[in-house]
Amino acid sequence: QIQLVESGGDSVQAGGSLRLSCSVFGYIYSSYSMGWFRRSSGKEREGVAILYSEGATYYADSVKGRFTISQNNAKTTLYLQMNSLKPDDTAMYYCAADLWGIAKPGTPNEADFHYWGPGTQVTVSS
């Protein structure tokens, strides 16, 4: 059992940057996949950036070249560096983890991730 807690969400102007963090509480026995999802008002939750246990990464087309996912060496914190933010990036951002190796590289399926944080709000104004 683990807990995920996101932080770093804020209100910024378009073109600005934010770095989201996701702290992992609990002991993890093996490598696992983690990632960031987001839900905008009136839209379904979508995968933004995933760091798979094999080392592969996924980025949604809408954030490629602007967002970077990373993890500290101890794998206790996941980051999402967001640059050149746009109003369309406004959403609640969620951190998620797959501890059973279900998630595979490709378009992420939120059903493969069984642990979720409560979310952190990012608002980008024009």
Side-chain angles (χ1 to χ4, degrees):
Q1 187 84 4
I2 65 170
Q3 284 187 318
L4 307 176
V5 179
E6 304 94 338
S7 61
D10 205 345
S11 296
V12 296
Q13 297 267 339
S17 298
L18 284 174
R19 188 174 82 156
L20 304 184
S21 298
C22 173
S23 297
V24 181
F25 297 95
Y27 187 77
I28 299 173
Y29 294 90
S30 61
S31 62
Y32 57 97
S33 300
M34 288 193 71
W36 293 93
F37 290 75
R38 68 184 181 188
R39 177 182 283 144
S40 305
S41 178
K43 296 183 180 179
E44 293 187 356
R45 189 157 54 186
E46 63 171 344
V48 175
I50 310 295
L51 186 59
Y52 291 96
S53 58
E54 303 94 336
T57 56
Y58 165 88
Y59 291 98
D61 288 342
S62 59
V63 307
K64 281 180 181 177
R66 300 188 297 120
F67 290 11
T68 303
I69 190 171
S70 62
Q71 196 172 39
N72 67 343
N73 289 337
K75 296 188 176 183
T76 56
T77 307
L78 184 74
Y79 302 100
L80 184 68
Q81 178 65 43
M82 306 187 296
N83 299 326
S84 302
L85 283 162
K86 304 175 181 179
D88 284 348
D89 296 319
T90 295
M92 183 70 79
Y93 283 73
Y94 300 91
C95 172
D98 162 34
L99 302 189
W100 293 292
I102 298 173
K104 300 300 179 188
T107 302
N109 181 353
E110 64 175 82
D112 294 339
F113 294 81
H114 295 86
Y115 292 92
W116 293 83
T120 186
Q121 178 68 36
V122 172
T123 302
V124 184
S125 59
S126 57

